[in-house]
């Protein structure tokens, strides 16, 4: 019997087979969860997602449009989901965006609009989707929410710029949502993953160097895989993590503890 048998999970953020959200979807599926997916509306991404979902044997899988910068889309997503499912047990937010010019050059040059756009899509969206999901979590008697962050919050990572501030907002939101929703048995955590080569990461200069550094200097002396992140997400969605909420869970082979390296 899988760890997520009988659970219904919404996965947001599969762009292609390299997406962290796809690693999570595969791990959830392996553990017996019933899945639904959202996509931002780009026909190419929808085609990728549809092809990937077709590789998962089993039940009908709802695929619904949701550009998370739109409150109307968020409302429509949960209306569509409610028409299919009576409840929701887990929500995976694996979505981020910053204008490319806000990920290059000097931090001091980050624009007001660029920063607000990054926060809107990458952080406030968590707030928006969780609020819209509340009735479905209540119907389930609780739930587990998780998002993805990167340790460019407490450490400075060159060129992460606007996205670093958006991730700081996301991590603070995680704690505030956890405190607010805990009495309803809804847990909210964020996974701080090591660097992986994905579509979103290709916009960040130096991702290959970050992976080389992790392999050479992380306590476990290796890079993280999509599958490993999927397994951490399974734990957070499962009953085994029922005492954990408001946490930033590092899945980075210990890189976050490293100060000076030799
Ligand atoms: P990805 O490009 O595969 O996923 C990003 C997703 O965000 C895509 O599916 C994209 O469609 C979606 N998205 C962007 N704007 C959207 C919008 N307005 N509405 C709805 N969806 C939108 O890349 P990824 O690396 O898998 O990123 C997933 C998450 O993991 C992000 O939060 C990212 O910051 C985080 N993360 C990535 C790394 C890494 O090294 N790749 C490390 C730590 C954390």
């Amino acid at each position: 019997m899988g760890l997520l048998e009988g659970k219904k999970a919404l996965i947001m953020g599969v762009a292609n087979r390299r997406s962290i959200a796809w690693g999570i979807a595969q791990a959830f599926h392996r553990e017996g969860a019933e899945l639904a997916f959202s996509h931002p509306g780009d026909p190419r991404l929808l085609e990728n997602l549809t092809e990937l979902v077709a590789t998962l044997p089993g039940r009908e899988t709802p695929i619904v449009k949701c550009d998370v910068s739109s409150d109307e889309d968020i409302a429509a997503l949960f209306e569509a989901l409610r028409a299919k499912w009576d409840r929701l047990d887990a929500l995976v937010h694996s979505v981020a965006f910053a204008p490319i010019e806000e990920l290059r050059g000097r931090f001091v040059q980050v624009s007001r609009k660029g920063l607000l756009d990054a926060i809107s899509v990458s952080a406030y969206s968590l707030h928006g989707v969780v609020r819209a999901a509340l009735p479905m979590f209540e119907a389930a008697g609780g739930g587990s929410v998780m998002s993805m962050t990167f340790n460019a919050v407490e450490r400075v990572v060159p060129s992460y710029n606007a996205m670093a501030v958006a991730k700081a907002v996301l991590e603070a939101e995680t704690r505030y949502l956890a405190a607010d929703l805990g009495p309803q048995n809804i847990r909210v955590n964020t996974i701080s993953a090591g660097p992986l080569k994905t579509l979103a990461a290709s916009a960040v200069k130096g991702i290959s160097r970050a992976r080389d550094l992790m392999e050479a200097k992380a306590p476990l002396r290796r890079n993280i895989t999509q599958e490993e992140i999927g397994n951490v997400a399974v734990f957070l969605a499962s009953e085994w993590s029922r005492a954990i909420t408001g946490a930033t869970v590092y899945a980075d082979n210990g890189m976050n503890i490293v100060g000076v390296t030799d």
Side-chain angles (χ1 to χ4, degrees), residues 12-16 18-22 38-42 45 66-70 93-98 121-122 125 147-151 160 163 167 170 191-202 207 211 224 226:
M12 310 183 75
V14 178
N16 57 38
R18 287 174 175 270
S19 294
I20 292 174
W22 182 240
S38 71
H39 66 93
D42 177 321
L45 296 184
C66 180
D67 175 338
V68 297
S69 63
S70 155
H93 175 290
S94 187
V95 167
F97 169 80
V121 173
S122 316
S125 58
S147 66
M148 296 302 310
T149 187
F150 184 59
N151 194 16
Y160 217 70
M163 189 56 85
K167 292 301 190 195
L170 182 78
I191 302 172
S192 187
L196 278 156
K197 285 190 169 173
T198 61
L199 193 61
S202 65
I207 194 81
R211 283 178 63 80
I224 202 83
Q226 207 186 18

